[in-house]
Amino acid sequence: MPAVRTVVVTGSASGLGAAVCERLAARGTRLIGVDLAGADIEADLAVPAGRSAAMNAVLEASGGAIDGLVACAGVGPHMSDTSLISSVNYFGAVHIIDGLRPALAGGLEPAAVAIASNSLSLVPMHDLSLVDAMLAGNEVEAARLAAELPGATVYGMSKLALARAIRHRASAWGKAGIRLNAVAPGPVLTPLLQASLDDPELGPLVDALPVPLDRRAEPGEIAATVDFLLGPDASFVHGAVLFADGGTDALVRPDQP
Ligand code: NAI
């Protein structure tokens, strides 16, 4: 009998996080879900106290060792409080990823996956002050800058910073034997996407973004990509930002890399 793996999923109550939980649970994986409500551990990842409470509760529930982590909790570009996009999507994710690294180090063939977004390449690249503040760990300055920018820009920048943070960790995490990757999805049919589509300003922009496969993804399709990155078939995949976006990134940036 193979050992039962324990995987922590933030944002487990809805959308992609729920789909990841469903897919892994069907294989007998032990899941520890973290979300604002409707999860094993209820915590607000927007604030330092909530992140600490979540990490302590994970350590208690797991006995101190976990085999996988999926940092999925996030808010969309439609939020009127744009600093919340910075605090949840970047700082909430990175603090949980870093905070649970020791627990992953005690796991079996450990791997972590962060959910970025293909919107990371759609931000105004001439001024990345917000991305820089995030990567410098300056949450107060990031909140200040975010409050002055449109939600779509803050959203894309939170995901660009998250993807860069994953790549910056490739060396140290690799040496520690923990694989760390990001997925950059395109539009996925979840409440988050629906809220953007319902927004009078954002909706037309989201609708106008071309997707070569000419459709939106089901959450289960992204869960399959996450499952691949967590599992043994991705044993040499590390520090990658995997676009699962129906081809939009290739269309927008055909010469990258
Ligand atoms: P969703 O709204 O269905 O699920 C997000 C979950 O995160 C919710 O359960 C919510 O309660 C939780 N969450 C939000 N703020 C939190 C906080 N402060 N503390 C703890 N939990 C919190 O959204 P969806 O679409 O499943 O999003 C999951 C991730 O995928 C997000 O990071 C999102 O940015 C990303 N993504 C989504 C895309 C889409 O088209 N749906 C496209 C690209 C990326």
Side-chain angles (χ1 to χ4, degrees), residues 11 13-17 35-36 43-46 72-75 88-89 115-117 155 159 185-188 190-193:
S14 178
L16 302 185
D35 208 308
L36 285 170
D44 182 358
L45 301 180
C72 204
V75 294
V88 179
N89 293 12
I115 308 299
S117 163
Y155 183 81
K159 297 302 189 178
V188 190
T190 70
L192 183 151
L193 179 68

